[in-house]
Amino acid sequence: MNKHAIYHKPKSNFCYPYDKNIIHIRLRTAKEDVEKVILVYGDKYEWNKNKKIEMKYSSYDKLFDYYMISVKPFNRRLAYYFIMESKKKLFYYTEWGILDNHPDQNEIHNHFFEYPYINDSDIHVMPEWVKDAVFYQIFPERFYNGDTSNDPKNINQWGELPKRNDFFGGDLKGIIDRLDYIKDLGINAIYFTPIFESDSNHKYNTKDYKKIDPHFGNLDILKELVEKCHQYGIKVILDAVFNHSGSDFKPFLDVIKNGKNSPYYNWFYIHKWPIKTNPPNYETFSFVAKMPKLNTTNPEVKKYLLDVVKYWMEEVNIDGWRLDVADEIDHNFWREFRKAVKSIKKDAYIVGEIWHNSLPWLMGDQFDAVMNYPFRTACLKFFAYKNIDEETFKKMINQTLFRNTQQVNEVMFNLLDSHDTSRFINRSNKDIKRLILASVFQMTFIGTPCVYYGTEIGLEGEDDPDCRRTMEWNEEKWNKNLHNHYKNLIKLKKEHISLRRGNFKWINDLKNIIGFIRETDNEKILVLINNHENKKNVSISINHHKCIDLINNQKIDVLNKKLKISLPEYGFKIILIRKNDNKIF
């Protein structure tokens, strides 16, 4: 047995409370190295009542296998160790490592792994509505111009290709005017990039955190927008840019003027005064002089920003926050941020912008989720670039799942493109078929999907600023098949609880096909994806006699317990499995 590969850590993504009664236990071993894993668990104060349960083989990646089990601890306390069988020999995995022999019973208490107690405040409780959400990301300056009276000077013609500093006149009134379109698409949550006062088109260099940018509208317009969204059953989250401000932020201007005599000098990371911008002699976001970094460890800065959070949540009744450059801000700030947000609205959604493994932020004391760029990376490689096979794709997805707890996976912000990336259609060599298959996976996979405005009609765009083109409102220029495809997918997701809240499980014995099951106690859905240029025939063993093709709304007969499906080139199936009596399985 490869002992070096074995890994487990209490109070991490390998041992955590899913709710007040259940703890999830995970174990990593070398690939195809262990035949069986037994969890021995009990209450450390009544160890004589311990139990044994076989762990389930759960998943795998390039190098490792993963086992997982849900257990209900005695008295909310859990002590445990593992017994592993490899080549018919038993090994014991305890807090002291791998042992060839069972620990002496007189010393067993010194060997336990422990989750000492499930305290309510340690449980990562998620906002339930997010599990049912399909998000739509809007870059307000490029969505729709609903009020020409607030346009910036010298705006471009709508539809021109954007340059870095161009303006087109999109505003909040324009979003109100197009809410019917958003609702008709099936969207029930919107994420807006920043809307506070700023001299840029993207608004990530904030001038005034408590003022709507005049070119976007005013407080009353935002209130009207949020209220109408709520009337339509649409949640709203705003972008919080707390890593840095704009260089025209009043406290920074005071520092420029007064140096160390400014009461705001320690609000920033000033290396030397007087202030210089080329290059900046102060900390910034990504060396951008117009974006001085805020010192969030400063109690005054912290109080100011948390007051901003309170103001917008109470004044406008928003439903959560997306957090810009979240990984460059100290953890203590985010812990206090979470407390402030959840004290105002318990089910507010907090999603950070972090592009990589984000576990330190996702253990229940900071964020609910992050923008799932690793998910996007896997989808790009498999669907857009087609430079990995099905097996590698599954391994990449499995890695993303085992980086986080189950409840985090259930609300992860899964995206294919955004205002910071080229459009998925461009990365797909403008092949709509590849985007269609990626969107099928996105909408049927575990987590919360987000559609970047225009992706659903085939809007193109390379890297920033080209990915921030204006929304196309001339329907004759839409890809109507793609638009209808998105509407149908979102409709299916809303109609079937297993596509929103069901367990996720690969079908691993399929060749050159992606297949997986989403399942609840009352519903089971099979998803099949053929990412190839030729037809694939699939035969799956099944104990039920009737299935329904949800895309075509047609019954599929199961003969001799075999479901036989023909998948056309770049085709997919979403199949509801039913019993003989037509009750949902």
Side-chain angles (χ1 to χ4, degrees):
M1 186 173 69
N2 183 350
K3 298 179 181 180
H4 296 86
I6 295 169
Y7 179 80
H8 175 80
K9 185 178 181 179
K11 287 212 166 189
S12 73
N13 54 323
F14 277 73
C15 173
Y16 58 90
Y18 181 74
D19 57 34
K20 65 181 180 180
N21 299 311
I22 298 295
I23 288 180
H24 287 177
I25 303 289
R26 293 168 170 174
L27 178 71
R28 188 190 77 186
T29 68
K31 205 167 192 311
E32 299 177 352
D33 189 42
V34 172
E35 296 160 21
K36 182 188 291 188
V37 177
I38 302 294
L39 179 74
V40 185
Y41 70 100
D43 188 315
K44 61 184 176 183
Y45 300 119
E46 293 184 318
W47 184 248
N48 60 311
K49 296 181 180 179
N50 70 77
K51 293 185 177 181
K52 294 182 180 180
I53 186 170
E54 184 173 352
M55 296 185 70
K56 298 176 183 177
Y57 173 76
S58 178
S59 190
Y60 64 94
D61 57 28
K62 187 176 182 179
L63 297 175
F64 304 110
D65 286 336
Y66 297 90
Y67 293 81
M68 189 267 185
I69 196 73
S70 298
V71 297
K72 186 174 182 178
F74 306 100
N75 311 308
R76 303 180 79 168
R77 294 185 292 266
L78 190 68
Y80 60 97
Y81 64 89
F82 305 92
I83 303 174
M84 292 172 288
E85 183 177 333
S86 177
K87 299 177 182 177
K88 297 188 178 181
K89 183 177 180 181
L90 296 183
F91 298 88
Y92 302 87
Y93 183 31
T94 78
E95 189 173 68
W96 287 93
I98 310 297
L99 307 176
D100 291 332
N101 300 306
H102 194 286
D104 189 294
Q105 287 298 329
N106 295 322
E107 297 182 357
I108 193 70
H109 289 80
N110 296 323
H111 286 272
F112 293 145
F113 289 107
E114 282 194 62
Y115 197 97
Y117 192 85
I118 303 178
N119 292 289
D120 289 347
S121 61
D122 292 332
I123 302 168
H124 196 173
V125 179
M126 296 299 179
E128 285 294 312
W129 65 265
V130 179
K131 299 174 185 178
D132 301 320
V134 178
F135 270 89
Y136 195 66
Q137 182 190 349
I138 294 178
F139 192 86
E141 217 280 322
R142 306 293 161 80
F143 193 63
Y144 187 65
N145 189 345
D147 183 0
T148 57
S149 69
N150 63 18
D151 287 356
K153 294 180 181 179
N154 302 317
I155 65 170
N156 288 31
Q157 185 71 30
W158 198 266
E160 288 183 9
L161 295 181
K163 298 183 180 64
R164 180 73 57 187
N165 299 314
D166 287 349
F167 288 87
F168 290 85
D171 50 35
L172 300 183
K173 178 64 166 57
I175 299 169
I176 292 173
D177 292 345
R178 295 297 182 172
L179 277 180
D180 285 338
Y181 167 83
I182 295 170
K183 178 66 174 176
D184 180 67
L185 186 60
I187 297 298
N188 55 11
I190 300 176
Y191 149 47
F192 295 110
T193 55
I195 60 174
F196 307 141
E197 186 176 20
S198 166
D199 66 1
S200 65
N201 53 43
H202 53 72
K203 312 301 177 191
Y204 280 101
N205 54 317
T206 310
K207 177 181 179 180
D208 189 336
Y209 282 89
K210 289 189 176 181
K211 183 180 178 182
I212 302 301
D213 189 272
H215 297 306
F216 283 174
N218 54 39
L219 178 60
D220 289 337
I221 292 294
L222 178 61
K223 285 183 176 180
E224 180 184 354
L225 172 57
V226 174
E227 183 178 349
K228 288 192 173 181
C229 282
H230 287 168
Q231 290 172 359
Y232 276 46
I234 298 172
K235 302 283 189 179
V236 175
I237 68 171
L238 298 183
D239 211 320
V241 190
F242 293 162
N243 176 69
H244 54 271
S245 69
S247 56
D248 53 359
F249 182 43
K250 285 184 180 179
F252 190 72
L253 293 176
D254 194 273
V255 172
I256 292 175
K257 181 179 179 181
N258 298 308
K260 289 187 178 180
N261 293 324
S262 169
Y264 305 107
Y265 189 82
N266 292 319
W267 280 41
F268 307 92
Y269 295 92
I270 310 299
H271 295 165
K272 191 176 181 181
W273 191 82
I275 297 295
K276 294 183 180 180
T277 59
N278 190 22
N281 60 354
Y282 50 91
E283 297 293 314
T284 66
F285 165 70
S286 185
F287 309 107
V288 180
K290 291 182 67 173
M291 297 181 176
K293 181 173 174 62
L294 289 163
N295 178 8
T296 52
T297 63
N298 183 322
E300 293 177 355
V301 175
K302 189 180 300 183
K303 182 180 183 305
Y304 174 83
L305 295 177
L306 295 183
D307 284 346
V308 169
V309 170
K310 180 179 179 181
Y311 174 76
W312 290 111
M313 292 190 72
E314 293 182 346
E315 189 72 24
V316 186
N317 193 28
I318 61 170
D319 303 292
W321 296 92
R322 180 267 191 186
L323 310 172
D324 189 54
V325 202
D327 52 351
E328 295 187 23
I329 297 176
D330 64 284
H331 290 279
N332 283 335
F333 175 83
W334 289 132
R335 291 185 182 103
E336 294 195 35
F337 172 89
R338 182 180 183 85
K339 290 177 182 177
V341 169
K342 299 292 185 175
S343 69
I344 299 168
K345 184 174 282 192
K346 191 174 181 179
D347 69 344
Y349 183 42
I350 302 174
V351 54
E353 184 211 8
I354 302 179
W355 290 55
H356 304 284
N357 190 336
S358 307
L359 181 64
W361 292 267
L362 296 173
M363 289 304 296
D365 59 342
Q366 295 169 68
F367 309 156
D368 295 319
V370 296
M371 300 181 76
N372 199 354
Y373 282 103
F375 167 89
R376 176 179 184 266
T377 297
C379 289
L380 283 173
K381 288 178 175 292
F382 182 63
F383 294 110
Y385 307 150
K386 296 194 66 180
N387 59 9
I388 61 173
D389 61 12
E390 284 80 4
E391 189 68 11
T392 305
F393 175 68
K394 288 193 291 184
K395 290 174 183 176
M396 291 184 71
I397 292 295
N398 288 342
Q399 278 187 299
T400 70
L401 290 174
F402 266 79
R403 286 174 178 174
N404 302 303
T405 66
Q406 175 67 16
Q407 56 260 53
V408 168
N409 288 329
E410 291 169 354
V411 299
M412 277 296 263
F413 199 83
N414 296 335
L415 69 161
L416 295 177
D417 40 27
S418 75
H419 67 292
D420 283 327
T421 72
S422 57
R423 296 272 181 175
F424 196 89
I425 186 65
N426 289 72
R427 291 289 183 97
S428 301
N429 199 27
K430 300 184 181 181
D431 186 343
I432 291 291
K433 297 189 296 292
R434 302 185 196 182
L435 173 57
I436 285 175
L437 292 189
S439 67
V440 170
F441 186 73
Q442 179 193 29
M443 290 291 172
T444 57
F445 182 60
I446 187 172
T448 303
C450 179
V451 180
Y452 183 39
Y453 79 95
T455 292
E456 76 280 4
I457 59 170
L459 189 64
E460 297 178 2
E462 297 293 345
D463 290 330
D464 178 18
D466 195 45
C467 58
R468 301 173 182 182
R469 296 186 191 184
T470 55
M471 177 66 175
E472 179 58 69
W473 292 109
N474 181 353
E475 294 189 29
E476 294 181 0
K477 296 183 179 181
W478 291 3
N479 186 309
K480 294 289 185 64
N481 290 334
L482 182 62
H483 183 252
N484 289 332
H485 165 78
Y486 266 94
K487 285 182 66 173
N488 290 336
L489 274 183
I490 295 170
K491 183 173 180 287
L492 282 181
K493 192 171 187 72
K494 293 170 76 172
E495 289 175 345
H496 294 279
I497 191 170
S498 60
L499 293 179
R500 306 190 310 275
R501 294 167 177 258
N503 294 327
F504 173 86
K505 184 179 180 181
W506 297 112
I507 302 175
N508 287 319
D509 56 354
L510 299 176
K511 291 185 178 180
N512 301 317
I513 291 289
I514 290 294
F516 56 90
I517 295 287
R518 297 297 308 277
E519 184 175 6
T520 63
D521 290 340
N522 299 313
E523 185 178 80
K524 185 174 184 178
I525 287 180
L526 165 68
V527 180
L528 300 170
I529 298 174
N530 175 20
N531 191 29
H532 293 277
E533 297 176 353
N534 54 300
K535 182 176 71 173
K536 301 290 182 182
N537 295 317
V538 179
S539 179
I540 299 174
S541 298
I542 192 168
N543 291 325
H544 312 287
H545 297 279
K546 289 187 180 179
C547 298
I548 296 177
D549 183 332
L550 293 176
I551 298 298
N552 301 315
N553 197 27
Q554 294 179 345
K555 292 183 178 180
I556 305 174
D557 291 327
V558 178
L559 302 176
N560 299 320
K561 296 185 178 182
K562 289 287 185 181
L563 174 64
K564 294 187 177 182
I565 298 292
S566 179
L567 287 169
E569 62 179 45
Y570 295 109
F572 67 94
K573 294 287 184 182
I574 303 175
I575 299 169
L576 176 66
I577 300 173
R578 291 182 181 270
K579 287 184 175 181
N580 276 336
D581 57 7
N582 284 333
K583 291 181 181 178
I584 297 175
F585 174 76

